[in-house]
Structures are given as structure tokens and as C-alpha cells.
Amino acid sequence: ASLAGPLGRMALNGLTCNHCGGTDIELDAARGDAVCIQCGTVLEENTIVNEVTFETSAGGGSGVVGQFVPSSGLRSSGLGFAKESREVALSNGQRHISQLANALRLSEHHQDAAQRLFQLAVQHNFIQGRKTQHVIAACLYTVCRREKTAHLLIDYSDVLQTNVYMLGSCFLKFTRMLSLTLPIIDPSLYIHRFASRLEFGDKTHFVSMSALRLVQRMKRDWIQTGRRPSGICGAALLIAARIHGFRRTQREVVRVVRICDVTLRKRLIEFSDTSLGQLTANQLGDNEFDLESYGAAPPQKRSISPYLPTS
């Protein structure tokens, strides 16, 4: 088939009118639509094509028919080399995401997922009035929560040198905007990370496994409910260190897990009030001893007021 200028008629294999069955189709390359000549039914409109078509203007010049749509889905302004502010923000955000992900040793999979979330933030105008660093931290931390990696929000605060509470506020607003439901943080994810920093040497694995058993029992005793994972990890690691003969002080544990000493003492007091708090170090360190079922009362959910913050 041949086209005369931007307008023309053609009959393609398989392209017939759905209304009358005619094959006499008029194609307008400028508008990107196809119209049946017999009945006037519009078969296609706003068709996106890969080919570049030029047309001659009234002044004798030539120009491109249609407009360029990038893979990001954000249309350009059509002013030559000018870019929309959203495209600039998207490109800058992708660059900052790569830098922050490399600093936190995150894989390309996490970077790609965070870039898709950042694109949603741009499309919903979430970046307006907020620092780009806060938004990209919220995107990356959301991915880490989904993938259950051993990263805390305070890690992002250290890299960006930003208040952790400001990052937390931005993260909560971002998840609420997208109506995201994220899994609850499991303290077990951070045990090996914190244990490696306490310098247990060859017994790091054994201390970690003992701490994991304690965390699971704390979860059964509802000590973990409403508590930050760092406090649970700190108490479990301190007890596991004493079980294996390491005299780690509370100050050393506090420095590693990044909590205050008052929070650590509260978790230890709560553990001492359980039935396991009455056992000796040898009994707690015995792998054949069933910590899960020893003295465990039937699980009974503890009510926590949403208006009272927990330490």
C-alpha cells in the first residue's frame, strides 16, 4: 500500500472494519488514527509508532509528526532540548538512588525496585516540598522492608547525615500515600549483623544461634510485640554472650545496637519476669533444652494503645 503525504488509504492483511466488514481504511499518520471509509467508524486513534515521519510545513520547512514518549511514561514538553522538571527530578533521583544503594551495599535488584517507587512518587507529586534524599531513602527502605534485608532506618540516617525521625516521618507518609502493607520487622534478621560487631571470634555462630532461640521465645512471651528490633536484639545478644562465657557489658552492646541503656535494661527486666528468667546459663545454653515450650503459658495477645509510644 502507498500513502500520498500524511493521508492515504490502505488495506492491510487482517485489518477490517469491525462494524461493516469493509477493507477500505483511511490512515492519518499525523493524528495516528485509522477510519473506515464506508461507515466512518474510527478503528484506531492515538497510535504510538516507532517510525519517525516528517511532514512539510506551509513555510517549506520539515518537522517530525507526533511527539516523543520516553520509557518513563513522562512526556517531553516538545520544546527541543528543554526537559520537564519531572524528568529532571526523575533522572536526579535515579542517580541518588544508585549512590545510596552502593553505600549500603544493596544489589541492582533493590535499586531497580526503588527507582520504580521513586517514579510513583514523582507521578503523585510526593517530591514537592520534600528533600530528594528523604524520598529516595523512603523508597529504598520500603524495598528493604519488603525483601527483609538487615538494614535499619538509622543506617540511612548515618549515610545521609539526616535526622532519623525526619526519615521515619517521610517513610510513613510515603507508605500511606501508596497504601502499602509492609511485613513487621523480625529482630532475627539483625542478630548475625550485631553479633559480628561484638567480636565473639570463633563462637560468633554459636552466640548468634543462642540469641535467635531467645528471640523466638521472647516473641512467644509477647516481649517482642510493640518493641523496636534493636532492643530485642541487644537483650538477646547480651544474655547469649553471658551463656557462652563472654563478659560483654551493657555499654558495649548499647554502642553496637544503637539504643540507650535504659531501653536495654527494660528488655532485660521483662525477660527476667518470664519463666526462662529463672533458668541457669547452662540450661539456657543447652541446645537439647526446649526453650519454646518450657513454662510457656497459652499465647494471649497484649493490648497496646496506639497513642502511647513504646521504647
Side-chain angles (χ1 to χ4, degrees):
S2 61
L3 290 175
L7 294 176
R9 298 180 180 180
M10 71 176 190
L12 297 177
N13 294 331
L15 181 59
T16 59
C17 179
N18 299 328
H19 184 69
C20 66
T23 58
D24 193 4
I25 309 299
E26 184 179 80
L27 195 69
D28 189 344
R31 295 196 307 267
D33 56 13
V35 181
C36 177
I37 299 300
Q38 297 181 9
C39 63
T41 302
V42 179
L43 302 179
E44 294 180 357
E45 57 182 346
N46 298 328
T47 305
I48 299 177
V49 296
N50 294 327
E51 296 82 4
V52 179
T53 305
F54 296 89
E55 64 179 357
T56 304
S57 62
S62 61
V64 180
V65 177
Q67 60 181 346
F68 173 73
V69 180
S71 59
S72 61
L74 301 176
R75 296 184 178 181
S76 61
S77 59
L79 299 178
F81 297 100
K83 289 185 177 181
E84 291 186 358
S85 59
R86 287 192 174 187
E87 294 185 12
V88 176
L90 186 60
S91 60
N92 291 336
Q94 292 176 350
R95 185 177 68 256
H96 290 307
I97 286 176
S98 300
Q99 295 175 355
L100 181 58
N102 292 332
L104 295 173
R105 298 180 180 179
L106 294 173
S107 63
E108 293 184 0
H109 167 69
H110 299 93
Q111 297 182 31
D112 295 339
Q115 289 176 1
R116 290 191 294 268
L117 289 176
F118 185 80
Q119 183 174 345
L120 291 176
V122 173
Q123 293 176 355
H124 288 78
N125 294 327
F126 186 77
I127 61 174
Q128 292 185 359
R130 295 182 175 89
K131 293 184 177 180
T132 305
Q133 290 183 341
H134 295 177
V135 178
I136 64 175
C139 295
L140 274 173
Y141 183 64
T142 301
V143 175
C144 291
R145 287 284 297 272
R146 282 180 170 180
E147 301 293 334
K148 296 183 179 181
T149 63
H151 291 84
L152 293 169
L153 193 60
I154 197 171
D155 299 329
Y156 294 85
S157 175
D158 291 340
V159 175
L160 298 176
Q161 294 297 307
T162 308
N163 191 318
V164 66
Y165 294 101
M166 296 179 64
L167 295 181
S169 176
C170 183
F171 164 72
L172 291 177
K173 293 178 181 177
F174 179 70
T175 54
R176 290 171 184 171
M177 180 197 66
L178 297 180
S179 300
L180 298 177
T181 302
L182 300 177
I184 300 176
I185 301 178
D186 187 2
S188 302
L189 299 173
Y190 310 98
I191 289 295
H192 290 281
R193 168 187 169 181
F194 292 144
S196 61
R197 298 181 181 180
L198 288 172
E199 299 179 356
F200 293 122
D202 297 337
K203 292 187 177 181
T204 301
H205 175 71
F206 299 102
V207 175
S208 300
M209 296 305 298
S210 299
L212 288 174
R213 296 178 63 201
L214 293 173
V215 168
Q216 294 300 322
R217 182 50 194 263
M218 290 180 181
K219 182 178 181 180
R220 183 177 178 85
D221 291 333
W222 294 99
I223 298 178
Q224 177 182 336
T225 305
R227 303 292 188 259
R228 295 175 182 173
S230 299
I232 300 297
C233 293
L237 283 172
L238 181 60
I239 298 173
R242 300 291 176 84
I243 291 174
H244 292 273
F246 292 97
R247 305 296 298 179
R248 295 292 182 268
T249 63
Q250 294 186 15
R251 185 177 298 274
E252 292 175 338
V253 176
V254 163
R255 189 182 300 112
V256 170
V257 299
R258 309 290 293 273
I259 58 175
C260 64
D261 52 351
V262 177
T263 301
L264 180 59
R265 285 198 295 267
K266 286 182 179 180
R267 301 293 88 80
L268 294 174
I269 293 174
E270 291 173 352
F271 179 80
S272 63
D273 292 337
T274 63
S275 57
L276 289 187
Q278 311 303 321
L279 298 178
T280 63
N282 293 331
Q283 291 175 322
L284 291 175
D286 188 1
N287 293 329
E288 298 181 358
F289 190 83
D290 190 5
L291 297 181
E292 290 290 329
S293 60
Y294 176 79
Q300 185 176 7
K301 190 172 183 179
R302 183 172 55 189
S303 61
I304 299 178
S305 173
Y307 304 102
L308 296 178
T310 56
S311 59

